Amino acid sequence: MPSSPNLRPLGNTGASDGAIEAAARAADRSRALGWFRDPFRYPQWLEATFAITWLSWSVANLLSPDALTERPALAILNVLGGWLWPWVGFVLFPWQIAALRMGSLRQRAMVQTMGYGILLHVTVCVGAMSLDPFSPMITLFLALTTIAGILSWRLWRRYA
């Protein structure tokens, strides 16, 4: 023990026990109140963005007077279940939010992989039926599909 009262023993940061306990309580409170365990940690914020993408997909399909599945570029989607595509986002959105909230890496990987499969299918359908391979829609779908695939791979490899 040092001889001077102003010197602290080695390893002591100077924080009082009360301050340390208050910081721990604040961390627990913010964790309990937050939507996700750590929303700004990659890839959780990207998964939340994809959850909003799934919801946007369904809302856009249902609000559009000419549903996305009724367009010629998405004719293959009609054949494989045109009634299903407008509603798929309403299933993936709560599932992805619940998986993020629970922190289950396996659930997060499963829902992200399902979303990746849907995006891959839509991208292939749009690309196969499109006359312009560099259209903004194909570029957007290709970018989303690539990001979703990388994110799915990271989650299955436990890099989250």
Side-chain angles (χ1 to χ4, degrees):
M1 190 70 157
S3 58
S4 170
N6 293 329
L7 297 176
R8 295 189 173 90
L10 189 65
N12 190 340
T13 61
S16 68
D17 290 339
I20 293 171
E21 288 176 21
R25 279 194 307 273
D28 287 341
R29 187 170 46 251
S30 68
R31 197 175 311 124
L33 295 176
W35 271 94
F36 317 123
R37 291 180 184 256
D38 190 2
F40 299 109
R41 180 178 170 207
Y42 173 79
Q44 290 188 8
W45 65 268
L46 193 54
E47 291 176 66
T49 304
F50 271 106
I52 293 168
T53 302
W54 311 140
L55 186 63
S56 301
W57 168 266
S58 288
V59 170
N61 267 291
L62 293 175
L63 293 181
S64 174
D66 184 24
L68 294 178
T69 55
E70 294 173 5
R71 298 185 182 170
L74 295 176
I76 297 172
L77 295 182
N78 275 333
V79 173
L80 296 176
W83 61 271
L84 175 68
W85 295 106
W87 301 97
V88 76
F90 291 129
V91 174
L92 290 177
F93 173 74
W95 187 11
Q96 188 137 27
I97 294 297
L100 279 168
R101 184 99 167 115
M102 291 184 302
S104 168
L105 195 58
R106 185 170 184 268
Q107 286 291 324
R108 288 167 53 194
M110 284 174 49
V111 68
Q112 189 62 41
T113 304
M114 288 194 71
Y116 166 66
I118 290 166
L119 279 173
L120 182 66
H121 180 73
V122 170
T123 303
V124 168
C125 291
V126 170
M129 303 298 286
S130 177
L131 297 175
D132 181 14
F134 300 107
S135 71
M137 186 70 104
I138 291 177
T139 306
L140 172 69
F141 278 138
L142 193 56
L144 284 174
T145 304
T146 304
I147 294 169
I150 293 168
L151 186 55
S152 298
W153 180 78
R154 283 182 59 93
L155 289 170
W156 283 115
R157 299 286 294 173
R158 300 188 182 276
Y159 291 146

